Amino acid sequence: MLEQFDALLLARIQFAFTVSFHFIFPAFSIGLASYLAVLEGLWLWTGREIYLRLFKYWVKIFALAFGMGVVSGIVMSYQFGTNWSVFSDKAGPVIGPVMAYEVLTAFFLEAGFLGVMLFGMNRVGKGLHYAATLAVAIGTFTSAFWILSVNSWMHTPAGFAMNDVGQFVPVDWWAIVFNPSFPFRLAHTVMAAYLTTALVVGAVGAFHLLRDRINEGARVMFTMAIGMIAIAAPVQIFLGDAHGLNTLEHQPTKIMAMEGHFESHPDGAPLILFGLPDEEERTVHYEVAIPKLSSLILEHSLDAPLKGLDTVPEDEWPPVAIVFWSFRIMVGLGFLMLFLGATGALAFFKGRLYQWRPLHWFALAMGPAGFVAVIAGWVTTEVGRQPYTVYGLLRTADSVAPLEAPAVATSLLVFVVVYFVVFSAGTLYILKLMGHAPHAGEPGPEAVREQPQRAAGITPASAVDPDRTIGGRGAEAGA
């Protein structure tokens, strides 16, 4: 029944499954770490208790998301040594040191100050605690910097040479780290993380406004989230356009698949809004298109010629339908975010931000949109890179480990079961925390540590019976 699933396809499914799960948590925690730094900074600056209350409310959720992101990220690194060991051998001299820089700079920074941020509010000074919060926020951004540098190098490899055994070896580290697609990918991805967090915060604020429109915490959350979405959504569309132009320059085949251009258009290419790509027939069925708009967007000229997939050997094509639809999901959600920010800004200036219930329902519905958009964007860029792991140089089929299909299928099944059990429980607990509105006296994570502690095997008998002592008067009385 599963004869069509060879080891290569199963390894690709397993990587896509695990990285999709993992990507959710960094996309949330990168933006949330910055949000916490802003909240604590506003508290120190204004002295308003509401900002401290919101900090304690969201820092518990950040701790859970950060923990799940670390655990799911460790699994990713193991896969490079199991299913993709050939890729690791060939590309390891380049990507290994960059990944090590990520651990030495970002992870050490995050891990070193995370405990102070979570449990040090009442144990260190305000300045030191804020420094720890800033360090965690900088650490999450630094982690994104190195990871996206490695990922971008796989799309636009630079600064390397090939040795006698077919390995990529570093020649120019500056060119490796700041490869041609890196600045565009970093800006687009980090902005996506900020938007994702703003949408979640906005949805939680909207949820509590629907239940109690005078709740101060919900009002502040919703105002800050709508403000961020109104600013970030148009900026993100601009960054996405710049990233697309860079992709056209370095990975034109990916753009052909994204646009559904099976044929070349010498006199201006249409923008296909919707349709059903058919690789066998080399056409898009039932297409709805706007003439020449694709040329205008990509070349800034209505009559600019654009090449199609007919200029590329078929064994160099990515899976066209997947790239075509994932791109449209990402772009469609991006324009919905733009609409949410615009309507929210309109409600704010009309003084109806906390009374306009359709806006609250809209913001609540858009809460998961950031996660869907970042996964759709990841699918677009990574599936669009196929059939290569290192674009144009190392094919995916030549990167997989020499494993049999049953072995990969077994590990994939284990991953699916464990992930759904562990991460579903964590996600449900986060939703439970979000279900409670911020309130006066909001407990932070340190409240857990202030509970009575009991060492294993020791009974605090004196606390139960003040007249009873251990080994002294009571023992003598018994004798």
Side-chain angles (χ1 to χ4, degrees):
M1 185 178 68
L2 300 177
E3 291 80 5
Q4 68 273 29
F5 291 94
D6 57 17
L8 173 61
L9 180 58
L10 288 168
R12 290 177 62 187
I13 293 173
Q14 185 176 125
F15 192 84
F17 173 77
T18 51
V19 79
S20 297
F21 251 97
H22 172 65
F23 203 9
I24 290 173
F25 301 111
F28 186 36
S29 57
I30 289 172
L32 195 52
S34 296
Y35 182 54
L36 288 170
V38 170
L39 287 172
E40 188 171 1
L42 287 173
W43 170 58
L44 293 174
W45 184 30
T46 66
R48 290 184 59 192
E49 190 271 342
I50 184 61
Y51 294 119
L52 177 61
R53 189 188 309 171
L54 289 177
F55 176 86
K56 291 184 175 181
Y57 179 84
W58 283 104
V59 76
K60 293 175 290 186
I61 295 168
F62 171 81
L64 286 166
F66 182 84
M68 289 192 285
V70 170
V71 171
S72 57
I74 291 173
V75 173
M76 299 301 305
S77 60
Y78 278 118
Q79 286 196 56
F80 287 117
T82 54
N83 294 350
W84 302 100
S85 59
V86 177
F87 166 78
S88 298
D89 175 60
K90 291 184 179 298
V94 170
I95 68 171
V98 181
M99 297 292 285
Y101 299 151
E102 191 262 341
V103 173
L104 288 172
T105 56
F107 191 69
F108 279 19
L109 193 63
E110 293 167 333
F113 288 95
L114 182 65
V116 178
M117 186 182 84
L118 293 178
F119 305 114
M121 180 66 78
N122 300 320
R123 293 173 173 79
V124 300
K126 292 180 179 178
L128 178 57
H129 189 270
Y130 187 51
T133 304
L134 284 176
V136 172
I138 294 170
T140 58
F141 177 83
T142 307
S143 178
F145 177 93
W146 291 116
I147 296 295
L148 289 169
S149 176
V150 168
N151 181 262
S152 294
W153 182 84
M154 293 164 67
H155 285 268
T156 51
F160 68 93
M162 303 296 292
N163 65 14
D164 295 339
V165 294
Q167 291 178 311
F168 298 88
V169 292
V171 173
D172 183 346
W173 280 111
W174 185 266
I176 289 172
V177 173
F178 295 95
N179 56 79
S181 65
F182 172 61
F184 302 92
R185 199 180 312 280
L186 176 69
H188 192 48
T189 306
V190 171
M191 187 58 69
Y194 290 147
L195 261 175
T196 299
T197 301
L199 287 163
V200 173
V201 173
V204 173
F207 175 73
H208 293 298
L209 282 175
L210 286 167
R211 303 168 74 182
D212 177 11
R213 69 177 60 177
I214 63 171
N215 181 282
E216 186 182 13
R219 287 188 169 206
V220 174
M221 279 193 292
F222 194 64
T223 304
M224 295 178 75
I226 288 296
M228 183 65 188
I229 295 167
I231 295 171
V235 172
Q236 179 68 329
I237 291 173
F238 170 78
L239 292 173
D241 178 65
H243 190 23
L245 296 178
N246 178 266
T247 304
L248 177 64
E249 180 181 356
H250 296 283
Q251 296 177 303
T253 307
K254 184 192 294 187
I255 292 292
M256 297 171 193
M258 290 163 60
E259 297 290 316
H261 290 161
F262 286 96
E263 298 179 352
S264 299
H265 298 276
D267 301 319
L271 178 66
I272 302 174
L273 299 176
F274 300 102
L276 299 176
D278 187 332
E279 292 185 40
E280 291 187 2
E281 298 290 335
R282 299 189 173 204
T283 188
V284 179
H285 299 294
Y286 313 112
E287 71 174 36
V288 177
I290 301 176
K292 298 183 181 290
L293 187 56
S294 184
S295 286
L296 180 63
I297 294 173
L298 293 171
E299 296 288 354
H300 301 161
S301 170
L302 288 171
D303 298 321
L306 282 180
K307 293 181 178 179
L309 290 166
D310 56 349
T311 63
V312 180
E314 195 165 348
D315 65 350
E316 299 282 318
W317 292 9
V320 178
I322 296 175
V323 177
F324 180 88
W325 276 110
S326 59
F327 176 65
R328 274 147 189 79
I329 291 171
M330 178 187 67
V331 172
L333 288 173
F335 278 100
L336 282 176
M337 295 172 200
L338 180 69
F339 183 64
L340 174 61
T343 53
L346 179 65
F348 176 80
F349 288 114
K350 285 183 171 292
R352 292 184 51 78
L353 191 60
Y354 312 125
Q355 290 78 33
W356 198 7
R357 294 178 69 83
L359 175 65
H360 301 159
W361 281 111
F362 183 28
L364 181 60
M366 287 292 289
F371 298 115
V372 178
V374 295
I375 291 176
W378 178 84
V379 169
T380 301
T381 194
E382 301 305 320
V383 177
R385 182 182 55 187
Q386 299 303 317
Y388 293 101
T389 47
V390 180
Y391 193 71
L393 298 169
L394 180 62
R395 283 182 172 266
T396 307
D398 297 328
S399 304
V400 71
L403 295 172
E404 298 295 331
V408 185
T410 301
S411 60
L412 173 60
L413 179 63
V414 172
F415 275 123
V416 170
V417 173
V418 172
Y419 269 52
F420 275 108
V421 171
V422 174
F423 293 112
S424 295
T427 303
L428 288 174
Y429 188 62
I430 287 177
L431 292 175
K432 181 181 178 181
L433 291 175
M434 291 177 175
H436 296 284
H439 55 81
E442 182 73 36
E446 70 276 12
V448 177
R449 288 177 56 86
E450 291 172 354
Q451 297 297 320
Q453 302 294 307
R454 174 182 171 180
I458 300 174
T459 302
S462 58
V464 177
D465 182 359
D467 295 329
R468 181 182 176 187
T469 59
I470 298 176
R473 186 180 61 189
E476 294 169 358

